Amino acid sequence: MKRVFLFIPVIFAVVLGVFLFAGIGKDPNKLESALIGKPVPEFRLKDLHDEERELTREVFKGQVSLLNVWGTWCPACRDEHDDLVWLAEEKGIRIVGLNYKDNRDDALVWLDRLGDPYQVSIYDPRGRLGFDLGVYGAPETYVIDAEGIVRHRHVGVVNEKVWEQDIEPLVNRYREKI
Amino acid sequence: MIRAVLAALLLMAFGPSSMAQSDDVYSFDSRTEEQRFQTLISELRCPKCQNQNIADSNAPISKDMRDEVYQMMSEGARNEEIVDALVSRFGEFVRYKPEVDSRTILLWATPVIAVVVGFLVVAIIVIRARRNGESEPALTDEERARASRILAGDDSDRTS
């Protein structure tokens, strides 16, 4: 009977091992958004293309959209850009751009040269909406459902793999709910 | 001399390095407010750099967060309101001291559990040792009487 107690440290070590092993391979830089399941924060910002036009979170109503946070200062955004153009043109995805802490002229030149995947472009030079979204780097991409609720956040570049594995299933699911 | 060295050491420890990031740009009405600001930003974690608080971090997001803390302070927000405002954007992660709730209860309880388990183990060992001791006393009464005689200096009992 007493010998059984000798195994307690072994059991303890195994449990601890399983617990710690579960953390291996997780990217600690990817934080879950605090906004999942909540509406896009309220904002009132100018259109990137049209200084006169004011945009609010109404732009997300009615359709499932991706909200892509980008800036010309962000090298990873350059990597991602072609895939966004592909998503918009080939897959017919509605992408809303959030030009984050950037310069309007630089951003317009970039879109002119590389193609414009965004159906709507929000200009956020001071990063106000970005801050309210909890953006801590760029690029970041959010899945927003037709009611304007944040459903998913992807930190980092969206490429074909990320699209197929993480984002497309969600977009399809929330499209069906409309 | 010693005082001077101590002062220099203190300066090195708490002086420029901990003040470096959040110096010049913010102005405060009182020393207390400044202290409060320093405490707040040292208790908030940078979401980008993760192992730094927003007081020490150079990341742009930390600057934005410091600005927000300062802004909210000047609007008269309480500390909890400020921290909650940042948690609602960046998640529980930004707290260096997580709140006690269903997800973090284990984190908070672990030290207590460890102490209780350790205490139980010690208690069991002690109780067992005592029980063993009672079942077979080290000396019989007769032996004990002999031992005290020897200790008292009566050598007649010595066998050798």
Side-chain angles (χ1 to χ4, degrees):
Chain A
M1 177 57 203
K2 275 180 195 163
R3 293 222 173 141
V4 176
F5 291 118
L6 294 177
F7 286 98
I8 288 178
V10 177
I11 294 165
F12 181 72
V14 168
V15 170
L16 194 67
V18 168
F19 190 67
L20 293 178
F21 188 77
I24 293 178
K26 274 193 190 167
D27 184 348
N29 289 310
K30 293 195 173 166
L31 300 179
E32 174 127 8
S33 170
L35 288 176
I36 303 292
K38 294 187 190 151
V40 174
E42 261 182 79
F43 65 92
R44 190 170 288 277
L45 290 166
K46 295 283 192 281
D47 189 302
L48 177 66
H49 299 280
D50 179 0
E51 280 181 65
E52 304 297 310
R53 190 173 166 222
E54 218 166 48
L55 301 170
T56 66
R57 61 182 179 186
E58 291 300 309
V59 298
F60 295 105
K61 293 283 163 70
Q63 285 183 69
V64 178
S65 329
L66 298 187
L67 171 60
N68 177 251
V69 181
W70 68 285
T72 56
W73 47 268
C74 148
C77 300
R78 175 68 193 86
D79 292 345
E80 177 185 58
H81 196 80
D82 296 336
D83 284 311
L84 294 178
V85 172
W86 166 77
L87 278 179
E89 287 179 358
E90 304 294 321
K91 299 277 178 180
I93 301 303
R94 179 170 192 264
I95 309 178
V96 175
L98 177 62
N99 183 242
Y100 177 64
K101 291 191 174 180
D102 206 354
N103 171 299
R104 188 189 292 265
D105 293 334
D106 292 348
L108 290 174
V109 168
W110 159 298
L111 292 179
D112 224 26
R113 247 195 20 233
L114 303 169
D116 185 353
Y118 306 113
Q119 299 214 341
V120 181
S121 279
I122 307 164
Y123 181 50
D124 187 12
R126 296 184 52 217
R128 259 337 291 188
L129 174 56
F131 190 74
D132 288 341
L133 279 166
V135 170
Y136 56 89
E140 285 188 17
T141 301
Y142 296 76
V143 178
I144 316 282
D145 75 9
E147 260 121 57
I149 311 282
V150 178
R151 293 300 178 181
H152 178 73
R153 152 153 82 177
H154 176 78
V155 176
V157 171
V158 171
N159 52 30
E160 214 176 319
K161 193 171 149 236
V162 170
W163 164 250
E164 280 168 4
Q165 284 181 357
D166 298 344
I167 300 182
E168 189 174 27
L170 279 171
V171 169
N172 289 340
R173 194 200 309 167
Y174 288 106
R175 272 184 172 173
E176 279 165 17
K177 289 193 177 171
I178 299 175
Chain B
M1 175 61 196
I2 291 173
R3 267 195 202 170
V5 171
L6 273 177
L9 281 173
L10 275 175
L11 252 180
M12 271 153 66
F14 301 108
S17 67
S18 56
M19 299 292 189
Q21 308 303 333
S22 47
D23 38 17
D24 36 42
V25 271
Y26 306 108
S27 62
F28 297 91
D29 294 341
S30 67
R31 188 90 185 106
T32 345
E33 282 295 277
E34 189 173 350
Q35 283 294 339
R36 194 183 143 212
F37 178 75
Q38 289 294 343
T39 312
L40 269 171
I41 62 174
S42 66
E43 285 175 355
L44 286 162
R45 190 203 304 254
C46 164
K48 181 74 187 166
C49 13
Q50 309 216 343
N51 287 331
Q52 280 182 306
N53 57 25
I54 63 170
D56 290 337
S57 158
N58 281 320
I61 187 66
S62 294
K63 164 98 173 68
D64 288 356
M65 288 168 79
R66 290 195 297 268
D67 288 350
E68 181 73 13
V69 171
Y70 181 73
Q71 180 67 28
M72 287 189 76
M73 269 181 70
S74 51
E75 286 164 9
R78 287 176 297 118
N79 286 6
E80 302 87 59
E81 289 172 336
I82 295 172
V83 173
D84 286 347
L86 290 169
V87 168
S88 74
R89 292 180 174 101
F90 298 96
E92 199 64 31
F93 180 84
V94 296
R95 278 184 216 268
Y96 264 115
K97 288 187 207 153
E99 284 217 291
V100 183
D101 66 18
S102 56
R103 286 171 308 149
T104 55
I105 188 71
L106 197 61
L107 193 66
W108 284 98
T110 303
V112 179
I113 293 172
V115 168
V116 169
V117 168
F119 186 77
L120 284 178
V121 168
V122 170
I124 288 170
I125 290 172
V126 167
I127 289 169
R128 271 213 192 153
R130 216 172 263 179
R131 209 176 282 158
N132 290 346
E134 278 166 16
S135 59
E136 29 179 299
L139 298 173
T140 63
D141 285 347
E142 196 188 325
E143 282 168 335
R144 205 170 297 217
R146 208 179 126 213
S148 51
R149 279 200 301 278
I150 293 171
L151 286 173
D154 181 356
D155 277 354
S156 62
D157 268 321
R158 279 189 191 258
T159 46
S160 59

